[in-house]
Amino acid sequence: MQFAGSHIISVDQFERADIEAIFAVADRMEPYAHRRKITRVLDGAILGSMFFEPSTRTRVSFGCAFNLLGGHVRETTGFEHSAIAKGESLYDTARVISGYSDIITMRHPEPGSVTEFANASRVPVLNGGDGSNEHPSQALLDLYTIKLEMQGRGGGIDRIRIALIGDLRFGRTVHSLCKLLSLYRDIDVLLISPPELKMPGEIVATMREAGHSVTETENLAAHIGNVDIAYSTRLQEERFGSQEDADRYRGRFRLNHHFYTQHCDPNTVIMHPLPRDSRAVANELDNDLNDNPNLAIFRQADNGVLVRMALFAMVLEVVDQIDNDSRGVNWYTGSRFQKPAP
Ligand code: NCD
């Protein structure tokens, strides 16, 4: 695809070569994201960050990614702090904010809303999650993490065996990730969810058309032993009609040290888009796994910065200039960035 000036709304926009191009640029961002070097390639540029749903990682890492390229960030968070609360349309908001910004990141609870906004925007818009629909930058960072974790084990993305666990109906990260996996070969996909929270049929069909083996089940213990990646997710309670509806599924699949030792291959990589729900009623990914070297969740979150830097650099067409005028950092940076387990 042509990245320069494009909106990034859905992973359907990408072909495999595009993903590889993004990952190659993400690799080049490592010295900057890991605070060994500084670049000012986006000096003077403004990111309009519009987040109308709760967010920590996506909002802050998009912002940091832009800052690390030398740009400035203007944030709007929550409808209550925006003129949308006064009845302003997405069209008008997009027309206005795109005059103030060079690029926009947006999260909104309605599927399709980011497309509607992008259609009215005068600058590129990157989708930070539109309801239960899609979360393209998350899927890219998930796939980038899978690539790095599997590389450490002598493998690649093709032929991986992956289990997606939890709320596969409303979870936008797994929707986008499954669509991306359809660009790769011979993947074994295990979809573990309650029947009411199954992966949408059209996404399952896309994976089968890609030649992947897809198994849908409710039985975590019976199947989890045969995967390279166990990708757990949070119950998307905000998309349920009522709290009672959501409560019926809370805590249904719990991954903890005991379960992992009993049922998983000792090399299994553990992933989660985060936030994990650590309340006792849910606890889908227990803190007792925190010291497990295969727990990739924080490496995954760190990788988000590299991938988002790559997207900004490609869409704003500065990839070739990143290393111009770069220099070392002035401050103590420590060694906070972990490599995947061997
Ligand atoms: C996810 C999201 O917002 O879809 N979080 C994220 O962006 N890392 C997953 C979730 O909220 O459960």
Side-chain angles (χ1 to χ4, degrees):
M1 69 171 272
Q2 148 90 28
F3 282 92
S6 296
H7 304 303
I8 308 279
I9 303 292
S10 161
V11 294
D12 291 340
Q13 293 171 250
F14 303 129
E15 290 175 12
R16 185 168 168 152
D18 300 320
I19 310 293
E20 277 153 22
I22 295 167
F23 290 176
V25 179
D27 287 344
R28 286 180 52 191
M29 297 300 177
E30 207 238 29
Y32 303 105
H34 291 184
R35 314 296 203 277
R36 291 197 306 279
K37 283 165 92 182
I38 294 172
T39 173
R40 310 303 301 165
V41 73
L42 289 184
D43 193 14
I46 295 178
L47 166 69
S49 168
M50 315 278 292
F51 274 71
F52 298 116
E53 265 193 335
S55 176
T56 299
R57 270 147 294 275
T58 308
R59 179 174 56 83
V60 179
S61 72
F62 262 131
C64 285
F66 208 74
N67 289 150
L68 287 164
L69 290 167
H72 306 283
V73 182
R74 281 270 149 234
E75 287 205 336
T76 305
T77 52
F79 289 120
E80 70 278 21
H81 299 295
S82 144
I84 292 179
K86 298 179 178 175
E88 188 166 58
S89 65
L90 281 176
Y91 178 91
D92 286 4
T93 309
R95 297 297 296 176
V96 171
I97 297 297
S98 57
Y100 300 161
S101 321
D102 297 284
I103 190 163
I104 295 171
T105 49
M106 185 180 191
R107 169 172 288 186
H108 191 286
E110 283 302 315
S113 52
V114 181
T115 307
E116 186 185 335
F117 184 92
N119 288 340
S121 170
R122 294 176 272 165
V123 298
V125 176
L126 311 190
N127 182 1
D130 61 327
S132 59
N133 185 36
E134 276 230 35
H135 196 341
S137 64
Q138 179 72 40
L140 288 168
L141 78 87
D142 287 344
L143 198 65
Y144 186 66
T145 303
I146 291 172
K147 177 181 170 258
L148 296 182
E149 299 288 325
M150 293 309 294
Q151 216 162 274
R153 291 163 171 75
I157 301 173
D158 289 318
R159 287 175 291 284
I160 54 160
R161 301 165 304 162
I162 182 168
L164 303 170
I165 306 157
D167 180 355
L168 308 184
R169 177 179 174 197
F170 295 118
R172 56 192 168 201
T173 74
V174 287
H175 297 168
S176 294
L177 180 58
C178 284
K179 291 195 209 175
L180 274 192
L181 287 174
S182 300
L183 299 173
Y184 289 78
R185 281 195 298 277
D186 299 327
I187 309 225
D188 240 20
V189 188
L190 197 56
L191 301 175
I192 302 168
S193 71
E196 303 84 358
L197 301 182
K198 276 166 60 169
M199 178 67 69
E202 63 276 15
I203 298 179
V204 174
T206 305
M207 289 194 287
R208 291 207 167 112
E209 278 156 29
H212 299 341
S213 143
V214 183
T215 308
E216 298 189 85
T217 173
E218 234 186 314
N219 192 337
L220 180 63
H223 292 88
I224 199 70
N226 292 319
V227 301
D228 304 301
I229 315 268
Y231 185 113
S232 167
T233 64
R234 179 182 67 88
L235 185 70
Q236 306 288 291
E237 57 186 321
E238 62 275 38
R239 317 225 185 274
F240 283 75
S242 70
Q243 199 62 36
E244 297 82 69
D245 272 0
D247 284 345
R248 284 192 285 148
Y249 305 103
R250 221 179 279 282
R252 182 76 72 89
F253 305 110
R254 291 170 192 255
L255 216 49
N256 55 32
H257 177 70
H258 179 73
F259 185 90
Y260 186 91
T261 327
Q262 294 278 301
H263 298 285
C264 295
D265 181 281
N267 247 331
T268 311
V269 179
I270 308 162
M271 293 178 62
H272 191 300
L274 301 178
R276 54 177 157 171
D277 185 345
S278 294
R279 291 170 290 195
V281 281
N283 208 17
E284 65 237 1
L285 190 54
D286 202 297
N287 283 330
D288 68 4
L289 285 163
N290 285 359
D291 293 328
N292 185 321
N294 295 311
L295 186 78
I297 57 176
F298 301 117
R299 292 193 287 275
Q300 206 178 335
D302 287 346
N303 290 337
V305 174
L306 282 79
V307 167
R308 292 181 171 123
M309 287 176 81
L311 290 176
F312 286 134
M314 292 168 90
V315 170
L316 293 175
E317 226 184 354
V318 294
V319 174
D320 293 341
Q321 303 167 60
I322 292 161
D323 299 322
N324 297 355
D325 304 319
S326 73
R327 60 169 175 88
V329 299
N330 297 326
W331 61 92
Y332 170 77
T333 59
S335 55
R336 64 192 119 151
F337 296 103
Q338 226 188 26
K339 291 254 177 277

